[in-house]
Amino acid sequence: MSTPKLGNGIHRPDTCRHYNKLGDVPWDIQKQIFRYWHQRNTIFSKYDEGVWLTDDAWFGVTPEPVALKIAHHLSVHAPADHDILVDAFAGAGGNTIAFALSGRWRRIIAIEKDADVLECAKQNARVYGVYDKIEWIQGDCFRDLDPLLEGLKERCTIFASPPWGGPTYRSANVFDLSTMEPYSLKTLYEGLSQTSTALALYLPRTSDLRQIAEIVTGEDKINVIHYCVGGASKAICAFFGALSQDA
Ligand code: MGP
């Protein structure tokens, strides 16, 4: 993989791109990116200041107004003694940046499996002036979080915006969370709730709410919020554990 040097010590992997106009997007993926291209300044208000995205990252980014709302919600509703925020699927950084901008957290840990997508997140954090407020980890949240947070579980809030198996999630009227690829709701919940007493999952707006309700036992409560842009729901966020109190 070649990594052009930008003259300031920053390397940009070939797959991390900033398109100045739709015509710069390779023709074979223009159709795939078209709908998101027109929302680029909603996705990142500073898009024009040098935001990088891989061609597959466009559809998974949380639009900035939604990311800011979620960050505010976690700032207010996370237990007062939680001072660590983990973004378990950091992607191109939309949520991580909003968490850093909130100023609420002593530590923010951003984990992303894909090295190039993580480079996009780092660049985008530079654009927003919050790069230094974030700990960047290239890794697998199910494997790498536990050792990293040993002894810190009681101080840690986890936000996870996992892959939903791509934009085809839209073809189902009610999205079956047990078939979500590569991680089902059950896998996500069981894996991540081991690591923290406060968990937020960002899921398709059409998610089957009964499946979310079934995930907890007894008297445990879950709060689910729709996040909208321009009056239309973009996605839901399900708040578990300590985050489900007082919402
Ligand atoms: P969308 O449904 O693909 O687009 O994504 P849009 O603009 O809502 O389509 P329309 O029908 O309203 O015109 C909506 C939002 O869902 C995106 O902005 C992302 O925040 C989120 N999103 C979409 N996908 C496919 C994923 C995904 O795989 N993972 C995550 N975490 N978020 C996604």
Side-chain angles (χ1 to χ4, degrees), residues 35-36 39 59 61 63 161-162 164 169-170 202 205 234:
R35 59 194 288 123
Y36 304 105
Q39 302 173 34
F59 59 75
V61 184
S161 172
W164 301 345
Y169 83 90
R170 284 196 297 256
Y202 186 76
R205 57 186 172 236
K234 284 281 167 187

Side-chain angles (χ1 to χ4, degrees), residues 86-91 109-113 118 137 139-141 145 148:
V86 176
D87 188 348
F89 297 89
I109 300 169
I111 303 189
E112 170 56 45
K113 227 176 180 177
L118 187 68
I137 294 175
D140 179 336
C141 59
L145 264 183
L148 190 73

Side-chain angles (χ1 to χ4, degrees), residues 1-5 11-17 116:
M1 177 179 59
S2 95
T3 55
K5 227 179 171 170
H11 293 262
R12 181 172 61 79
D14 273 350
T15 58
C16 299
R17 304 204 166 110
D116 289 1

Side-chain angles (χ1 to χ4, degrees), residues 196-210:
S196 169
T197 54
L199 172 66
L201 291 180
Y202 186 76
L203 297 167
R205 57 186 172 236
T206 48
S207 296
D208 188 339
L209 296 185
R210 288 166 303 185

Side-chain angles (χ1 to χ4, degrees), residues 32 96 131:
Q32 174 193 321
T96 309
Y131 175 89

